[in-house]
Amino acid sequence: MNGKEISIKKAMGSIEVPDERLDVIIENAFFETAAPKKKKRRQWLVPAAAASVLFIGISTATLAASPAFANYMAQLPLIGNVFSIFAEEEEGLMPYERFSENMELSQTSNGITIAIDQAVYDGTNVTFTYTITTDKELDASARVTGIPQLLEAEGVNASMEWEVIEGGVVGINTIPHLNEEVAQVNVEWEPVSVYTANAEFKGDWKFEFAVDQLKKDPMVLDEKVTEGGLTVHFTEVTFTDISVNIAYQQLVDPVLLEVWDAVEAELIAQDNLGNVYEVPYNGGAAYGGAGTREDFFWTATMRGLDPEATSLTLYPFAHISRIVAEDTFDSKRIEFDALEINMLEGTAQIVEVKDFPVFEKEETEE
Amino acid sequence: MQHDEKLVSAAIQGDRLALQQLLKTEKEKLYRMAYTYVRDEDNALEIFQQTVLQAIESVHQIKEPEYFSTWLARICINKALSFLRKNKKLVILDEIEVRRAENQFSIDISEQLDMANALGLLPEKYKTALMLRFYQDFTVKQIAEVMDCPEGTVKTVIHRGLALLKKDLKGVYADEWQRDFN
């Protein structure tokens, strides 16, 4: 060591940081950007009559047999019913309740009972519902922490949706995992705590359960549509009892990324009866060998397909965006030709688009 | 740096206060990385702002809380590189001036250039890899994730980057971090 010793860490540490300006930038950025899109949801109120009917139904079967379980059930008039709570605001969720397995797993720790209610795997997403019940005071910010995992996949990207109700929380967790080959997948969920803005209640819960895959026939595709330097490549569509799952890639011409920073290809669908469906993506992944940093492989899931429909057309569209100046975003929408799927014949073809469908969101009450 | 997993999970799930807290924890590192690319406060602030905005827009896309730091570093690096490309002429002029200075005082360059400048003058990939390894303390695996290349490539880039620095600084940099790497 000598007096001239200089390290990268020390050298970079010596760069003067305009602390206050950085704080202002952070605070302004949060002030100026809209809050993340959150589904507008009617405040959920248990209809007293419905709850009591449910409770009576459950109590007939179980109360006499197990007083301890009966006590637990008395706090939980919602068992087997979580999907339908969310179905009030989300189209197409009811089949999830019908085709899901009842898990009926529950664990209590630190005065909080977490129960896995129902689960289903359609080859693209594992979806399970849970309920949290407790005597502890939970405010509207309550949620459970701890992301569920799949034994079959590393680094999964679970989406968690929940609703605070009187006496607890109900929620739906969804883990995307595309694999038609396996008969079942294994979920491991170790909730860490029930967390509120004012308090955190830690506990010792750990759930491990297998979920069978619904039977269905994936349709392998190799159809591409290209527009403005961006290609959407459909690779698979699967019709299940609960959903329509679509796998597709976005392939971006590197030239496009010389001007634009981000690319996001999405889908909207319309059946032959005129119904228009949202097709939100479950998540995207970039794999080794991707041509550009924005080449993503997506899966998207559509719910609530009209059982009378015989064909479904998938309309790809994309947004390319960039930051052009301080707090100013520039974005451009690209629309493509569509993919028409004949469900009776199991065939698919690219069709020219005359009128791009628009999904009309229903207004919900607060 | 490993962040509180709970805080990161909350941020991923849309808790804006959680994300704000995380960004404030990372602000110095992000700014200094940005500064090393552009060597100018105003431009570094612009990159920092773009990084923050992008983080707010896309935090929900993080797959695992443990990836937060690498994800954020990647945004900052991409913003910096994008900035450099858009302002190529400006940077080239800047580089020419420094190179002229180098030539003028090449007899004792180690006296003229400090480590920050030497690092700033390295080609982008060496600069990025060295900052991530020795400033952010990322593992080779994490750097491979950020730079989207195999771990072997990262090791090679770090070794070559160190060699270039050593050459520029005529060996005066020998210190603890070189021993840490392997």
Side-chain angles (χ1 to χ4, degrees), chain B residues 25-99:
Chain B
T25 311
E26 289 278 352
K27 69 180 179 187
E28 291 186 359
K29 283 189 173 175
L30 292 174
Y31 173 80
R32 286 183 173 134
M33 283 181 59
Y35 188 92
T36 303
Y37 283 105
V38 293
R39 302 194 297 284
D40 172 87
E41 180 173 322
D42 286 340
N43 292 334
L45 284 169
E46 187 177 334
I47 293 164
F48 177 79
Q49 183 185 39
Q50 289 180 11
T51 304
V52 169
L53 288 168
Q54 178 74 52
I56 295 170
E57 288 285 318
S58 56
V59 64
H60 62 280
Q61 293 172 357
I62 301 178
K63 295 186 170 93
E64 282 284 296
E66 68 190 72
Y67 295 148
F68 180 79
S69 292
T70 49
W71 168 82
L72 194 57
R74 188 175 188 159
I75 293 178
C76 182
I77 291 164
N78 285 341
K79 294 295 174 194
L81 296 181
S82 167
F83 178 91
L84 289 176
R85 276 192 290 274
K86 284 173 192 163
N87 296 275
K88 218 168 182 177
K89 283 180 185 170
L90 179 76
V91 173
I92 288 168
L93 285 173
D94 190 20
E95 298 265 355
I96 289 167
E97 278 173 21
V98 176
R99 293 290 173 195

Side-chain angles (χ1 to χ4, degrees), chain A residues 11-157:
Chain A
M12 291 194 64
S14 70
I15 296 170
E16 209 171 305
V17 177
D19 262 312
E20 285 179 18
R21 292 183 72 182
L22 297 183
D23 284 341
V24 168
I25 286 173
I26 292 173
E27 279 152 25
N28 285 350
F30 279 91
F31 182 72
E32 287 160 11
T33 53
K37 283 177 193 169
K38 205 173 178 181
K39 281 182 179 138
K40 198 175 171 188
R41 187 186 305 291
R42 184 167 56 203
Q43 193 174 6
W44 185 72
L45 299 168
V46 188
S52 68
V53 168
L54 264 171
F55 175 62
I56 290 164
I58 292 161
S59 64
T60 309
T62 58
L63 274 184
S66 166
F69 189 51
N71 185 39
Y72 164 62
M73 296 298 281
Q75 302 168 48
L76 245 189
L78 305 165
I79 198 156
N81 199 31
V82 175
F83 278 123
S84 57
I85 294 167
F86 285 82
E88 287 183 24
E89 299 300 331
E90 283 179 43
E91 291 286 330
L93 262 184
M94 286 314 291
Y96 278 70
E97 185 167 310
R98 197 151 21 107
F99 291 101
S100 288
E101 301 168 55
N102 289 328
M103 305 312 289
E104 295 177 7
L105 302 168
S106 80
Q107 290 177 17
T108 302
S109 176
N110 190 17
I112 297 173
T113 299
I114 300 181
I116 307 296
D117 184 31
Q118 290 188 295
V120 63
Y121 177 47
D122 64 3
T124 298
N125 294 298
V126 188
T127 307
F128 68 91
T129 60
Y130 63 90
T131 61
I132 298 170
T133 49
T134 180
D135 291 334
K136 296 182 191 299
E137 202 168 314
L138 299 181
D139 60 24
S141 68
R143 63 170 179 270
V144 63
T145 65
I147 295 176
Q149 302 291 322
L150 282 187
L151 292 188
E152 289 77 5
E154 278 182 25
V156 296
N157 174 22

